Amino acid sequence: RRYQSGEMSEYFFSDMKENDLLRLEGPFGTFFYRESNIKNLIFMATGTGIAPVSSILQYLDENPDLVIRRNVYLFWGNREESDVFWVPDFQNIDVKYFQCFSRLSEESTVTYSGYVQEVLLRQSIELTDSEIYACGSVEMIDDALSQFILKGGNRRNFKSDAFLISK
């Protein structure tokens, strides 16, 4: 996605040439699954924030004993239905999936409209016994954290990875 005034966006969309040599430093690994006994495990993502979330879910699918007797929820938000580029496919764990859209056409038959944190709040999930992993836009993470705390969630049970624009 192209971000106005984004350093990488400017390079990729305007300056990059074939055969350019890039040296990129990968993630430092602060967004990962942490074992706990909390009843509800909630994953929230906006746009490409689904990538690290899907990695954690894939790990859980390969290690289903980690989520025995726990509820696993996935809330993935995009603007429009055409923005969807990934389909969840888990073989060993039961994930309650909520595909959310913030901008819908009048012809849309989508069940969940609105931002992911709004859709989460409309569900009957006990947030005081929940752990949230949120990845995506800064706005979503800030609002989701505020709502989580207001509804009785513990700040220590909110893990996040905000996508920031390079400058």
Side-chain angles (χ1 to χ4, degrees):
R1 179 167 287 158
R2 187 176 198 160
Y3 291 98
Q4 186 176 357
S5 302
E7 187 175 316
M8 293 304 291
S9 290
E10 185 63 31
Y11 174 74
F12 283 130
F13 286 94
S14 301
D15 301 330
M16 188 167 72
K17 295 172 191 60
E18 189 173 332
N19 295 320
D20 276 1
L21 178 63
L22 300 176
R23 287 192 175 94
L24 302 173
E25 190 170 277
F28 293 106
T30 59
F31 189 72
F32 58 91
Y33 176 71
R34 293 152 178 95
E35 288 189 42
S36 73
N37 294 322
I38 294 173
K39 181 181 177 184
N40 301 307
L41 190 54
I42 301 169
F43 294 91
M44 300 173 63
T46 54
T48 57
I50 195 64
V53 164
S54 68
S55 292
I56 294 172
L57 286 166
Q58 180 180 351
Y59 171 76
L60 294 175
D61 196 44
E62 293 166 1
N63 299 277
D65 290 349
L66 294 173
V67 293
I68 290 176
R69 291 181 293 283
R70 297 176 77 191
N71 300 311
V72 180
Y73 301 92
L74 170 59
F75 295 82
W76 182 30
N78 286 287
R79 289 185 180 117
E80 302 169 345
E81 293 173 78
S82 62
D83 293 336
V84 175
F85 57 87
W86 176 79
V87 176
D89 183 25
F90 305 108
Q91 306 303 310
N92 304 306
I93 60 174
D94 179 32
V95 178
K96 294 161 193 73
Y97 176 51
F98 298 82
Q99 178 63 74
C100 316
F101 298 98
S102 58
R103 298 179 190 161
L104 295 174
S105 66
E106 291 182 15
E107 304 83 38
S108 179
T109 59
V110 170
T111 306
Y112 303 105
S113 63
Y115 297 119
V116 290
Q117 65 273 23
E118 296 169 352
V119 174
L120 167 61
L121 291 173
R122 291 194 302 255
Q123 309 312 308
S124 298
I125 301 171
E126 180 55 53
L127 294 180
T128 57
D129 197 12
S130 296
E131 186 168 46
I132 293 181
Y133 288 82
C135 188
S137 71
V138 174
E139 296 82 9
M140 179 275 285
I141 289 177
D142 288 346
D143 190 44
L145 175 58
S146 296
Q147 294 298 324
F148 181 60
I149 291 170
L150 280 172
K151 300 292 182 183
N154 186 322
R155 170 64 180 102
R156 289 178 298 156
N157 294 335
F158 190 93
K159 284 53 169 178
S160 64
D161 184 9
F163 285 1
L164 305 172
I165 297 172
S166 300
K167 293 187 180 185

